[in-house]
mmCIF file of all heavy atoms in Angstrom:
data_model
loop_
_atom_site.group_PDB
_atom_site.id
_atom_site.type_symbol
_atom_site.label_atom_id
_atom_site.label_comp_id
_atom_site.label_asym_id
_atom_site.label_seq_id
_atom_site.Cartn_x
_atom_site.Cartn_y
_atom_site.Cartn_z
ATOM 1 N N LEU Q 1 59.292 139.279 119.593
ATOM 2 C CA LEU Q 1 60.444 139.745 120.382
ATOM 3 C C LEU Q 1 60.630 139.000 121.696
ATOM 4 O O LEU Q 1 61.758 138.802 122.145
ATOM 5 C CB LEU Q 1 60.324 141.246 120.639
ATOM 6 C CG LEU Q 1 60.453 142.133 119.406
ATOM 7 C CD1 LEU Q 1 60.213 143.590 119.773
ATOM 8 C CD2 LEU Q 1 61.810 141.951 118.754
ATOM 9 N N ALA Q 2 59.540 138.560 122.308
ATOM 10 C CA ALA Q 2 59.640 137.872 123.593
ATOM 11 C C ALA Q 2 60.270 136.486 123.463
ATOM 12 O O ALA Q 2 60.778 135.943 124.443
ATOM 13 C CB ALA Q 2 58.260 137.755 124.235
ATOM 14 N N ARG Q 3 60.281 135.907 122.268
ATOM 15 C CA ARG Q 3 60.746 134.530 122.094
ATOM 16 C C ARG Q 3 61.751 134.395 120.948
ATOM 17 O O ARG Q 3 61.735 133.420 120.217
ATOM 18 C CB ARG Q 3 59.552 133.614 121.812
ATOM 19 C CG ARG Q 3 58.415 133.723 122.786
ATOM 20 C CD ARG Q 3 58.323 132.697 123.888
ATOM 21 N NE ARG Q 3 58.742 131.359 123.646
ATOM 22 C CZ ARG Q 3 57.949 130.330 123.348
ATOM 23 N NH1 ARG Q 3 56.661 130.515 123.197
ATOM 24 N NH2 ARG Q 3 58.446 129.131 123.221
ATOM 25 N N SER Q 4 62.619 135.382 120.767
ATOM 26 C CA SER Q 4 63.521 135.363 119.631
ATOM 27 C C SER Q 4 64.981 135.498 120.043
ATOM 28 O O SER Q 4 65.340 136.338 120.867
ATOM 29 C CB SER Q 4 63.163 136.500 118.664
ATOM 30 O OG SER Q 4 64.037 136.499 117.564
ATOM 31 N N ASN Q 5 65.824 134.666 119.450
ATOM 32 C CA ASN Q 5 67.275 134.779 119.570
ATOM 33 C C ASN Q 5 67.729 135.587 118.357
ATOM 34 O O ASN Q 5 67.662 135.104 117.231
ATOM 35 C CB ASN Q 5 67.906 133.384 119.577
ATOM 36 C CG ASN Q 5 69.399 133.437 119.681
ATOM 37 O OD1 ASN Q 5 69.962 134.376 120.245
ATOM 38 N ND2 ASN Q 5 70.059 132.435 119.138
ATOM 39 N N ASP Q 6 68.171 136.815 118.573
ATOM 40 C CA ASP Q 6 68.449 137.706 117.454
ATOM 41 C C ASP Q 6 69.601 138.646 117.804
ATOM 42 O O ASP Q 6 70.378 138.357 118.712
ATOM 43 C CB ASP Q 6 67.181 138.451 117.028
ATOM 44 C CG ASP Q 6 66.453 139.098 118.190
ATOM 45 O OD1 ASP Q 6 67.123 139.620 119.107
ATOM 46 O OD2 ASP Q 6 65.211 139.093 118.198
ATOM 47 N N SER Q 7 69.691 139.773 117.126
ATOM 48 C CA SER Q 7 70.820 140.689 117.318
ATOM 49 C C SER Q 7 70.861 141.307 118.714
ATOM 50 O O SER Q 7 71.896 141.825 119.122
ATOM 51 C CB SER Q 7 70.794 141.801 116.268
ATOM 52 O OG SER Q 7 71.202 141.293 115.019
ATOM 53 N N ARG Q 8 69.771 141.237 119.462
ATOM 54 C CA ARG Q 8 69.821 141.715 120.840
ATOM 55 C C ARG Q 8 70.784 140.867 121.651
ATOM 56 O O ARG Q 8 71.380 141.329 122.613
ATOM 57 C CB ARG Q 8 68.433 141.698 121.471
ATOM 58 C CG ARG Q 8 67.485 142.714 120.828
ATOM 59 C CD ARG Q 8 66.083 142.557 121.315
ATOM 60 N NE ARG Q 8 65.602 141.231 120.914
ATOM 61 C CZ ARG Q 8 64.535 140.641 121.430
ATOM 62 N NH1 ARG Q 8 63.838 141.244 122.372
ATOM 63 N NH2 ARG Q 8 64.161 139.458 121.008
ATOM 64 N N ARG Q 9 70.945 139.615 121.255
ATOM 65 C CA ARG Q 9 71.873 138.701 121.928
ATOM 66 C C ARG Q 9 73.119 138.436 121.085
ATOM 67 O O ARG Q 9 74.224 138.338 121.601
ATOM 68 C CB ARG Q 9 71.175 137.364 122.208
ATOM 69 C CG ARG Q 9 72.047 136.388 122.943
ATOM 70 C CD ARG Q 9 71.259 135.150 123.367
ATOM 71 N NE ARG Q 9 72.160 134.068 123.666
ATOM 72 C CZ ARG Q 9 72.546 133.144 122.794
ATOM 73 N NH1 ARG Q 9 72.097 133.160 121.568
ATOM 74 N NH2 ARG Q 9 73.369 132.196 123.146
ATOM 75 N N LEU Q 10 72.946 138.339 119.771
ATOM 76 C CA LEU Q 10 74.047 137.963 118.882
ATOM 77 C C LEU Q 10 74.872 139.151 118.400
ATOM 78 O O LEU Q 10 75.975 138.970 117.900
ATOM 79 C CB LEU Q 10 73.492 137.215 117.663
ATOM 80 C CG LEU Q 10 72.699 135.951 117.956
ATOM 81 C CD1 LEU Q 10 72.012 135.449 116.691
ATOM 82 C CD2 LEU Q 10 73.606 134.884 118.554
ATOM 83 N N GLY Q 11 74.318 140.356 118.506
ATOM 84 C CA GLY Q 11 75.026 141.539 118.021
ATOM 85 C C GLY Q 11 74.968 141.621 116.503
ATOM 86 O O GLY Q 11 74.037 141.129 115.862
ATOM 87 N N TYR Q 12 75.995 142.259 115.948
ATOM 88 C CA TYR Q 12 76.067 142.387 114.490
ATOM 89 C C TYR Q 12 76.287 141.013 113.862
ATOM 90 O O TYR Q 12 77.083 140.219 114.354
ATOM 91 C CB TYR Q 12 77.237 143.277 114.081
ATOM 92 C CG TYR Q 12 77.095 144.719 114.478
ATOM 93 C CD1 TYR Q 12 77.954 145.282 115.410
ATOM 94 C CD2 TYR Q 12 76.115 145.519 113.907
ATOM 95 C CE1 TYR Q 12 77.847 146.619 115.766
ATOM 96 C CE2 TYR Q 12 75.995 146.858 114.267
ATOM 97 C CZ TYR Q 12 76.865 147.397 115.195
ATOM 98 O OH TYR Q 12 76.753 148.715 115.544
ATOM 99 N N LEU Q 13 75.606 140.752 112.768
ATOM 100 C CA LEU Q 13 75.871 139.549 111.986
ATOM 101 C C LEU Q 13 76.722 139.959 110.789
ATOM 102 O O LEU Q 13 76.431 140.972 110.142
ATOM 103 C CB LEU Q 13 74.566 138.912 111.513
ATOM 104 C CG LEU Q 13 73.649 138.389 112.615
ATOM 105 C CD1 LEU Q 13 72.367 137.832 112.006
ATOM 106 C CD2 LEU Q 13 74.334 137.328 113.439
ATOM 107 N N PRO Q 14 77.751 139.180 110.458
ATOM 108 C CA PRO Q 14 78.594 139.540 109.319
ATOM 109 C C PRO Q 14 77.876 139.277 107.997
ATOM 110 O O PRO Q 14 76.965 138.445 107.923
ATOM 111 C CB PRO Q 14 79.814 138.627 109.476
ATOM 112 C CG PRO Q 14 79.301 137.454 110.243
ATOM 113 C CD PRO Q 14 78.213 137.993 111.147
ATOM 114 N N ALA Q 15 78.305 139.978 106.962
ATOM 115 C CA ALA Q 15 77.687 139.839 105.637
ATOM 116 C C ALA Q 15 77.694 138.397 105.162
ATOM 117 O O ALA Q 15 76.738 137.945 104.528
ATOM 118 C CB ALA Q 15 78.404 140.732 104.627
ATOM 119 N N ASP Q 16 78.747 137.643 105.483
ATOM 120 C CA ASP Q 16 78.799 136.261 104.990
ATOM 121 C C ASP Q 16 77.850 135.331 105.737
ATOM 122 O O ASP Q 16 77.678 134.178 105.361
ATOM 123 C CB ASP Q 16 80.224 135.722 104.987
ATOM 124 C CG ASP Q 16 80.855 135.650 106.366
ATOM 125 O OD1 ASP Q 16 80.214 136.032 107.360
ATOM 126 O OD2 ASP Q 16 82.014 135.207 106.449
ATOM 127 N N ALA Q 17 77.178 135.817 106.792
ATOM 128 C CA ALA Q 17 76.154 135.017 107.475
ATOM 129 C C ALA Q 17 74.834 135.047 106.713
ATOM 130 O O ALA Q 17 73.980 134.184 106.907
ATOM 131 C CB ALA Q 17 75.939 135.527 108.893
ATOM 132 N N LEU Q 18 74.678 136.035 105.842
ATOM 133 C CA LEU Q 18 73.437 136.166 105.076
ATOM 134 C C LEU Q 18 73.348 135.079 104.008
ATOM 135 O O LEU Q 18 74.270 134.902 103.212
ATOM 136 C CB LEU Q 18 73.375 137.543 104.416
ATOM 137 C CG LEU Q 18 72.177 137.796 103.520
ATOM 138 C CD1 LEU Q 18 70.888 137.848 104.335
ATOM 139 C CD2 LEU Q 18 72.378 139.083 102.741
ATOM 140 N N ILE Q 19 72.229 134.371 104.003
ATOM 141 C CA ILE Q 19 71.977 133.366 102.964
ATOM 142 C C ILE Q 19 71.105 133.971 101.873
ATOM 143 O O ILE Q 19 71.407 133.854 100.697
ATOM 144 C CB ILE Q 19 71.317 132.110 103.560
ATOM 145 C CG1 ILE Q 19 72.276 131.440 104.539
ATOM 146 C CG2 ILE Q 19 70.898 131.150 102.448
ATOM 147 C CD1 ILE Q 19 71.678 130.300 105.326
ATOM 148 N N GLY Q 20 70.018 134.622 102.269
ATOM 149 C CA GLY Q 20 69.148 135.194 101.249
ATOM 150 C C GLY Q 20 67.943 135.899 101.833
ATOM 151 O O GLY Q 20 67.774 136.010 103.054
ATOM 152 N N VAL Q 21 67.095 136.361 100.924
ATOM 153 C CA VAL Q 21 65.890 137.113 101.255
ATOM 154 C C VAL Q 21 64.666 136.251 100.964
ATOM 155 O O VAL Q 21 64.588 135.608 99.907
ATOM 156 C CB VAL Q 21 65.820 138.414 100.414
ATOM 157 C CG1 VAL Q 21 64.541 139.163 100.667
ATOM 158 C CG2 VAL Q 21 67.031 139.292 100.696
ATOM 159 N N VAL Q 22 63.724 136.233 101.884
ATOM 160 C CA VAL Q 22 62.496 135.462 101.707
ATOM 161 C C VAL Q 22 61.650 136.130 100.626
ATOM 162 O O VAL Q 22 61.364 137.325 100.703
ATOM 163 C CB VAL Q 22 61.708 135.333 103.021
ATOM 164 C CG1 VAL Q 22 60.356 134.680 102.786
ATOM 165 C CG2 VAL Q 22 62.520 134.543 104.043
ATOM 166 N N LEU Q 23 61.253 135.340 99.626
ATOM 167 C CA LEU Q 23 60.372 135.837 98.579
ATOM 168 C C LEU Q 23 58.906 135.660 98.949
ATOM 169 O O LEU Q 23 58.101 136.563 98.787
ATOM 170 C CB LEU Q 23 60.647 135.124 97.256
ATOM 171 C CG LEU Q 23 62.045 135.332 96.674
ATOM 172 C CD1 LEU Q 23 62.237 134.470 95.423
ATOM 173 C CD2 LEU Q 23 62.266 136.804 96.351
ATOM 174 N N ARG Q 24 58.584 134.450 99.441
ATOM 175 C CA ARG Q 24 57.199 134.180 99.821
ATOM 176 C C ARG Q 24 57.113 132.800 100.445
ATOM 177 O O ARG Q 24 57.986 131.960 100.264
ATOM 178 C CB ARG Q 24 56.275 134.256 98.616
ATOM 179 C CG ARG Q 24 56.529 133.181 97.571
ATOM 180 C CD ARG Q 24 55.628 133.376 96.349
ATOM 181 N NE ARG Q 24 55.759 132.288 95.428
ATOM 182 C CZ ARG Q 24 55.064 131.167 95.463
ATOM 183 N NH1 ARG Q 24 54.181 130.955 96.394
ATOM 184 N NH2 ARG Q 24 55.251 130.230 94.560
ATOM 185 N N PRO Q 25 56.021 132.552 101.184
ATOM 186 C CA PRO Q 25 55.792 131.193 101.689
ATOM 187 C C PRO Q 25 55.347 130.302 100.526
ATOM 188 O O PRO Q 25 54.770 130.785 99.542
ATOM 189 C CB PRO Q 25 54.670 131.363 102.702
ATOM 190 C CG PRO Q 25 54.086 132.706 102.501
ATOM 191 C CD PRO Q 25 55.041 133.505 101.677
ATOM 192 N N ILE Q 26 55.631 129.026 100.633
ATOM 193 C CA ILE Q 26 55.203 128.060 99.613
ATOM 194 C C ILE Q 26 54.530 126.880 100.281
ATOM 195 O O ILE Q 26 54.831 126.534 101.404
ATOM 196 C CB ILE Q 26 56.366 127.577 98.726
ATOM 197 C CG1 ILE Q 26 57.457 126.915 99.567
ATOM 198 C CG2 ILE Q 26 56.942 128.717 97.920
ATOM 199 C CD1 ILE Q 26 58.516 126.247 98.745
ATOM 200 N N GLY Q 27 53.647 126.264 99.551
ATOM 201 C CA GLY Q 27 52.976 125.065 100.049
ATOM 202 C C GLY Q 27 52.220 125.324 101.333
ATOM 203 O O GLY Q 27 52.020 126.452 101.751
ATOM 204 N N GLN Q 28 51.808 124.262 101.972
ATOM 205 C CA GLN Q 28 51.096 124.346 103.231
ATOM 206 C C GLN Q 28 51.784 123.445 104.230
ATOM 207 O O GLN Q 28 52.451 122.492 103.858
ATOM 208 C CB GLN Q 28 49.644 123.945 103.056
ATOM 209 C CG GLN Q 28 48.945 124.850 102.078
ATOM 210 C CD GLN Q 28 47.447 124.775 102.268
ATOM 211 O OE1 GLN Q 28 46.954 123.941 103.003
ATOM 212 N NE2 GLN Q 28 46.719 125.645 101.598
#
């Protein structure tokens, strides 16, 4: 939270801003 640009600054994000959901990390 101390180092994030998020809805506290951006407000609501519209549905079309959503790209997808993270499934898992891959590789190293």
Side-chain angles (χ1 to χ4, degrees):
L1 293 176
R3 309 261 326 261
S4 179
N5 179 28
D6 50 38
S7 286
R8 293 172 297 164
R9 182 172 161 267
L10 302 170
Y12 293 114
L13 296 178
D16 62 359
L18 177 67
I19 296 172
V21 176
V22 173
L23 297 175
R24 65 184 186 88
I26 59 171
Q28 300 200 351

